[in-house]
PDB file of all heavy atoms in Angstrom:
ATOM      1  N   ALA A1352      74.925 -95.841  49.026  1.00 97.00           N
ATOM      2  CA  ALA A1352      75.284 -94.581  49.763  1.00 97.00           C
ATOM      3  C   ALA A1352      75.689 -94.810  51.191  1.00 97.00           C
ATOM      4  O   ALA A1352      76.630 -94.208  51.661  1.00 97.00           O
ATOM      5  CB  ALA A1352      74.061 -93.655  49.686  1.00 97.00           C
ATOM      6  N   MET A1353      75.018 -95.719  51.855  1.00 98.00           N
ATOM      7  CA  MET A1353      75.361 -96.047  53.245  1.00 98.00           C
ATOM      8  C   MET A1353      76.763 -96.599  53.309  1.00 98.00           C
ATOM      9  O   MET A1353      77.618 -96.179  54.123  1.00 98.00           O
ATOM     10  CB  MET A1353      74.393 -97.081  53.804  1.00 98.00           C
ATOM     11  CG  MET A1353      72.965 -96.660  53.949  1.00 98.00           C
ATOM     12  SD  MET A1353      72.627 -95.804  55.490  1.00 98.00           S
ATOM     13  CE  MET A1353      72.614 -97.179  56.641  1.00 98.00           C
ATOM     14  N   ALA A1354      77.092 -97.537  52.424  1.00 98.00           N
ATOM     15  CA  ALA A1354      78.446 -98.158  52.406  1.00 98.00           C
ATOM     16  C   ALA A1354      79.524 -97.152  52.049  1.00 98.00           C
ATOM     17  O   ALA A1354      80.599 -97.147  52.646  1.00 98.00           O
ATOM     18  CB  ALA A1354      78.443 -99.344  51.448  1.00 98.00           C
ATOM     19  N   GLN A1355      79.237 -96.297  51.089  1.00 98.00           N
ATOM     20  CA  GLN A1355      80.266 -95.282  50.737  1.00 98.00           C
ATOM     21  C   GLN A1355      80.448 -94.259  51.846  1.00 98.00           C
ATOM     22  O   GLN A1355      81.566 -93.813  52.016  1.00 98.00           O
ATOM     23  CB  GLN A1355      79.823 -94.600  49.456  1.00 98.00           C
ATOM     24  CG  GLN A1355      79.904 -95.488  48.217  1.00 98.00           C
ATOM     25  CD  GLN A1355      79.457 -94.765  46.957  1.00 98.00           C
ATOM     26  OE1 GLN A1355      78.894 -93.709  46.965  1.00 98.00           O
ATOM     27  NE2 GLN A1355      79.755 -95.391  45.798  1.00 98.00           N
ATOM     28  N   GLY A1356      79.384 -93.902  52.538  1.00 98.00           N
ATOM     29  CA  GLY A1356      79.551 -93.022  53.625  1.00 98.00           C
ATOM     30  C   GLY A1356      80.467 -93.610  54.721  1.00 98.00           C
ATOM     31  O   GLY A1356      81.300 -92.904  55.288  1.00 98.00           O
ATOM     32  N   ALA A1357      80.360 -94.938  54.888  1.00 98.00           N
ATOM     33  CA  ALA A1357      81.250 -95.572  55.885  1.00 98.00           C
ATOM     34  C   ALA A1357      82.703 -95.578  55.396  1.00 98.00           C
ATOM     35  O   ALA A1357      83.627 -95.285  56.218  1.00 98.00           O
ATOM     36  CB  ALA A1357      80.766 -97.012  56.108  1.00 98.00           C
ATOM     37  N   THR A1358      82.915 -95.877  54.095  1.00 98.00           N
ATOM     38  CA  THR A1358      84.284 -95.894  53.625  1.00 98.00           C
ATOM     39  C   THR A1358      84.917 -94.503  53.681  1.00 98.00           C
ATOM     40  O   THR A1358      86.106 -94.326  54.072  1.00 98.00           O
ATOM     41  CB  THR A1358      84.338 -96.371  52.185  1.00 98.00           C
ATOM     42  OG1 THR A1358      83.871 -97.734  52.101  1.00 98.00           O
ATOM     43  CG2 THR A1358      85.753 -96.297  51.564  1.00 98.00           C
ATOM     44  N   ALA A1359      84.130 -93.448  53.307  1.00 98.00           N
ATOM     45  CA  ALA A1359      84.639 -92.124  53.382  1.00 98.00           C
ATOM     46  C   ALA A1359      85.003 -91.732  54.819  1.00 98.00           C
ATOM     47  O   ALA A1359      86.048 -91.092  55.101  1.00 98.00           O
ATOM     48  CB  ALA A1359      83.613 -91.130  52.818  1.00 98.00           C
ATOM     49  N   ALA A1360      84.221 -92.118  55.752  1.00 98.00           N
ATOM     50  CA  ALA A1360      84.464 -91.768  57.205  1.00 98.00           C
ATOM     51  C   ALA A1360      85.785 -92.420  57.624  1.00 98.00           C
ATOM     52  O   ALA A1360      86.609 -91.790  58.278  1.00 98.00           O
ATOM     53  CB  ALA A1360      83.314 -92.248  58.047  1.00 98.00           C
ATOM     54  N   ARG A1361      85.964 -93.671  57.331  1.00 98.00           N
ATOM     55  CA  ARG A1361      87.229 -94.387  57.686  1.00 98.00           C
ATOM     56  C   ARG A1361      88.427 -93.728  57.052  1.00 98.00           C
ATOM     57  O   ARG A1361      89.488 -93.608  57.680  1.00 98.00           O
ATOM     58  CB  ARG A1361      87.131 -95.854  57.343  1.00 98.00           C
ATOM     59  CG  ARG A1361      86.024 -96.601  58.176  1.00 98.00           C
ATOM     60  CD  ARG A1361      86.040 -98.116  57.968  1.00 98.00           C
ATOM     61  NE  ARG A1361      85.014 -98.722  58.779  1.00 98.00           N
ATOM     62  CZ  ARG A1361      83.822 -99.120  58.334  1.00 98.00           C
ATOM     63  NH1 ARG A1361      83.550 -99.023  57.034  1.00 98.00           N
ATOM     64  NH2 ARG A1361      82.956 -99.656  59.119  1.00 98.00           N
ATOM     65  N   ASN A1362      88.294 -93.293  55.804  1.00 98.00           N
ATOM     66  CA  ASN A1362      89.436 -92.686  55.172  1.00 98.00           C
ATOM     67  C   ASN A1362      89.715 -91.262  55.659  1.00 98.00           C
ATOM     68  O   ASN A1362      90.866 -90.829  55.692  1.00 98.00           O
ATOM     69  CB  ASN A1362      89.224 -92.683  53.643  1.00 98.00           C
ATOM     70  CG  ASN A1362      89.436 -94.079  53.015  1.00 98.00           C
ATOM     71  OD1 ASN A1362      90.213 -94.816  53.556  1.00 98.00           O
ATOM     72  ND2 ASN A1362      88.787 -94.329  51.919  1.00 98.00           N
ATOM     73  N   MET A1363      88.681 -90.594  56.185  1.00 98.00           N
ATOM     74  CA  MET A1363      88.922 -89.336  56.849  1.00 98.00           C
ATOM     75  C   MET A1363      89.783 -89.525  58.070  1.00 98.00           C
ATOM     76  O   MET A1363      90.516 -88.625  58.497  1.00 98.00           O
ATOM     77  CB  MET A1363      87.578 -88.709  57.225  1.00 98.00           C
ATOM     78  CG  MET A1363      86.781 -88.103  56.105  1.00 98.00           C
ATOM     79  SD  MET A1363      85.199 -87.426  56.706  1.00 98.00           S
ATOM     80  CE  MET A1363      84.592 -86.696  55.210  1.00 98.00           C
ATOM     81  N   LEU A1364      89.663 -90.720  58.681  1.00 98.00           N
ATOM     82  CA  LEU A1364      90.438 -91.080  59.891  1.00 98.00           C
ATOM     83  C   LEU A1364      91.790 -91.662  59.575  1.00 98.00           C
ATOM     84  O   LEU A1364      92.468 -92.095  60.440  1.00 98.00           O
ATOM     85  CB  LEU A1364      89.612 -91.951  60.793  1.00 98.00           C
ATOM     86  CG  LEU A1364      88.275 -91.390  61.297  1.00 98.00           C
ATOM     87  CD1 LEU A1364      87.567 -92.387  62.164  1.00 98.00           C
ATOM     88  CD2 LEU A1364      88.454 -90.077  61.997  1.00 98.00           C
ATOM     89  N   GLY A1365      92.118 -91.756  58.270  1.00 97.00           N
ATOM     90  CA  GLY A1365      93.446 -92.221  57.878  1.00 97.00           C
ATOM     91  C   GLY A1365      93.560 -93.624  57.476  1.00 97.00           C
ATOM     92  O   GLY A1365      94.665 -94.160  57.358  1.00 97.00           O
ATOM     93  N   ALA A1366      92.444 -94.348  57.281  1.00 97.00           N
ATOM     94  CA  ALA A1366      92.476 -95.709  56.964  1.00 97.00           C
ATOM     95  C   ALA A1366      93.164 -95.993  55.575  1.00 97.00           C
ATOM     96  O   ALA A1366      93.813 -97.009  55.386  1.00 97.00           O
ATOM     97  CB  ALA A1366      91.116 -96.341  56.937  1.00 97.00           C
ATOM     98  N   ASP A1367      92.941 -95.081  54.614  1.00 97.00           N
ATOM     99  CA  ASP A1367      93.482 -95.161  53.288  1.00 97.00           C
ATOM    100  C   ASP A1367      93.143 -96.494  52.613  1.00 97.00           C
ATOM    101  O   ASP A1367      94.025 -97.216  52.171  1.00 97.00           O
ATOM    102  CB  ASP A1367      94.990 -94.979  53.326  1.00 97.00           C
ATOM    103  CG  ASP A1367      95.585 -94.738  51.955  1.00 97.00           C
ATOM    104  OD1 ASP A1367      94.930 -94.125  51.129  1.00 97.00           O
ATOM    105  OD2 ASP A1367      96.730 -95.203  51.720  1.00 97.00           O
ATOM    106  N   VAL A1368      91.851 -96.835  52.569  1.00 98.00           N
ATOM    107  CA  VAL A1368      91.401 -98.086  51.975  1.00 98.00           C
ATOM    108  C   VAL A1368      90.503 -97.793  50.780  1.00 98.00           C
ATOM    109  O   VAL A1368      89.756 -96.827  50.755  1.00 98.00           O
ATOM    110  CB  VAL A1368      90.624 -98.970  53.058  1.00 98.00           C
ATOM    111  CG1 VAL A1368      91.525 -99.402  54.159  1.00 98.00           C
ATOM    112  CG2 VAL A1368      89.419 -98.178  53.601  1.00 98.00           C
ATOM    113  N   ALA A1369      90.592 -98.621  49.797  1.00 98.00           N
ATOM    114  CA  ALA A1369      89.724 -98.527  48.601  1.00 98.00           C
ATOM    115  C   ALA A1369      88.328 -98.982  48.988  1.00 98.00           C
ATOM    116  O   ALA A1369      88.120 -99.824  49.861  1.00 98.00           O
ATOM    117  CB  ALA A1369      90.252 -99.383  47.468  1.00 98.00           C
ATOM    118  N   HIS A1370      87.342 -98.369  48.354  1.00 98.00           N
ATOM    119  CA  HIS A1370      85.931 -98.797  48.534  1.00 98.00           C
ATOM    120  C   HIS A1370      85.745-100.095  47.739  1.00 98.00           C
ATOM    121  O   HIS A1370      85.589-100.064  46.537  1.00 98.00           O
ATOM    122  CB  HIS A1370      84.987 -97.706  48.087  1.00 98.00           C
ATOM    123  CG  HIS A1370      83.542 -98.079  48.308  1.00 98.00           C
ATOM    124  ND1 HIS A1370      83.019 -98.170  49.582  1.00 98.00           N
ATOM    125  CD2 HIS A1370      82.513 -98.405  47.476  1.00 98.00           C
ATOM    126  CE1 HIS A1370      81.733 -98.509  49.538  1.00 98.00           C
ATOM    127  NE2 HIS A1370      81.398 -98.673  48.258  1.00 98.00           N
ATOM    128  N   ASP A1371      85.730-101.219  48.454  1.00 97.00           N
ATOM    129  CA  ASP A1371      85.667-102.502  47.794  1.00 97.00           C
ATOM    130  C   ASP A1371      84.404-103.296  48.121  1.00 97.00           C
ATOM    131  O   ASP A1371      84.338-104.515  47.977  1.00 97.00           O
ATOM    132  CB  ASP A1371      86.913-103.333  48.132  1.00 97.00           C
ATOM    133  CG  ASP A1371      87.015-103.621  49.642  1.00 97.00           C
ATOM    134  OD1 ASP A1371      86.181-103.125  50.438  1.00 97.00           O
ATOM    135  OD2 ASP A1371      87.946-104.342  50.012  1.00 97.00           O
ATOM    136  N   VAL A1372      83.371-102.611  48.594  1.00 97.00           N
ATOM    137  CA  VAL A1372      82.142-103.265  48.865  1.00 97.00           C
ATOM    138  C   VAL A1372      81.346-103.579  47.559  1.00 97.00           C
ATOM    139  O   VAL A1372      81.138-102.660  46.785  1.00 97.00           O
ATOM    140  CB  VAL A1372      81.251-102.346  49.818  1.00 97.00           C
ATOM    141  CG1 VAL A1372      79.890-102.998  50.094  1.00 97.00           C
ATOM    142  CG2 VAL A1372      81.992-102.002  51.095  1.00 97.00           C
ATOM    143  N   VAL A1373      80.976-104.830  47.429  1.00 97.00           N
ATOM    144  CA  VAL A1373      80.113-105.177  46.285  1.00 97.00           C
ATOM    145  C   VAL A1373      78.735-104.557  46.479  1.00 97.00           C
ATOM    146  O   VAL A1373      78.091-104.881  47.474  1.00 97.00           O
ATOM    147  CB  VAL A1373      80.055-106.685  46.107  1.00 97.00           C
ATOM    148  CG1 VAL A1373      79.101-107.053  44.988  1.00 97.00           C
ATOM    149  CG2 VAL A1373      81.420-107.356  45.866  1.00 97.00           C
ATOM    150  N   PRO A1374      78.297-103.706  45.588  1.00 96.00           N
ATOM    151  CA  PRO A1374      76.990-103.046  45.807  1.00 96.00           C
ATOM    152  C   PRO A1374      75.830-104.001  45.924  1.00 96.00           C
ATOM    153  O   PRO A1374      75.738-105.026  45.226  1.00 96.00           O
ATOM    154  CB  PRO A1374      76.816-102.182  44.481  1.00 96.00           C
ATOM    155  CG  PRO A1374      78.272-101.950  44.070  1.00 96.00           C
ATOM    156  CD  PRO A1374      78.957-103.253  44.368  1.00 96.00           C
ATOM    157  N   TYR A1375      74.979-103.648  46.845  1.00 96.00           N
ATOM    158  CA  TYR A1375      73.757-104.468  47.175  1.00 96.00           C
ATOM    159  C   TYR A1375      72.518-103.598  46.937  1.00 96.00           C
ATOM    160  O   TYR A1375      72.532-102.385  47.249  1.00 96.00           O
ATOM    161  CB  TYR A1375      73.770-104.941  48.580  1.00 96.00           C
ATOM    162  CG  TYR A1375      72.472-105.503  49.129  1.00 96.00           C
ATOM    163  CD1 TYR A1375      72.156-106.895  48.867  1.00 96.00           C
ATOM    164  CD2 TYR A1375      71.627-104.767  49.868  1.00 96.00           C
ATOM    165  CE1 TYR A1375      70.985-107.409  49.344  1.00 96.00           C
ATOM    166  CE2 TYR A1375      70.425-105.310  50.333  1.00 96.00           C
ATOM    167  CZ  TYR A1375      70.096-106.612  50.076  1.00 96.00           C
ATOM    168  OH  TYR A1375      68.926-107.151  50.539  1.00 96.00           O
ATOM    169  N   PHE A1376      71.519-104.152  46.345  1.00 95.00           N
ATOM    170  CA  PHE A1376      70.268-103.440  46.053  1.00 95.00           C
ATOM    171  C   PHE A1376      69.114-104.308  46.564  1.00 95.00           C
ATOM    172  O   PHE A1376      69.185-105.528  46.536  1.00 95.00           O
ATOM    173  CB  PHE A1376      70.060-103.255  44.537  1.00 95.00           C
ATOM    174  CG  PHE A1376      71.299-102.653  43.843  1.00 95.00           C
ATOM    175  CD1 PHE A1376      72.366-103.412  43.453  1.00 95.00           C
ATOM    176  CD2 PHE A1376      71.249-101.279  43.504  1.00 95.00           C
ATOM    177  CE1 PHE A1376      73.415-102.853  42.821  1.00 95.00           C
ATOM    178  CE2 PHE A1376      72.355-100.710  42.867  1.00 95.00           C
ATOM    179  CZ  PHE A1376      73.421-101.493  42.496  1.00 95.00           C
ATOM    180  N   PHE A1377      68.024-103.678  46.989  1.00 94.00           N
ATOM    181  CA  PHE A1377      66.846-104.454  47.332  1.00 94.00           C
ATOM    182  C   PHE A1377      65.611-103.667  46.889  1.00 94.00           C
ATOM    183  O   PHE A1377      65.636-102.487  46.726  1.00 94.00           O
ATOM    184  CB  PHE A1377      66.770-104.693  48.850  1.00 94.00           C
ATOM    185  CG  PHE A1377      66.392-103.485  49.647  1.00 94.00           C
ATOM    186  CD1 PHE A1377      65.067-103.304  49.958  1.00 94.00           C
ATOM    187  CD2 PHE A1377      67.352-102.565  50.083  1.00 94.00           C
ATOM    188  CE1 PHE A1377      64.639-102.153  50.754  1.00 94.00           C
ATOM    189  CE2 PHE A1377      66.951-101.457  50.834  1.00 94.00           C
ATOM    190  CZ  PHE A1377      65.621-101.249  51.126  1.00 94.00           C
TER     191      PHE A1377
END
């Protein structure tokens, strides 16, 4: 969720990048 929030924020600003973060769990 943290990583996706970051990707969504950048795309709101026009980055137009795919969410390519390999999910991490702990």
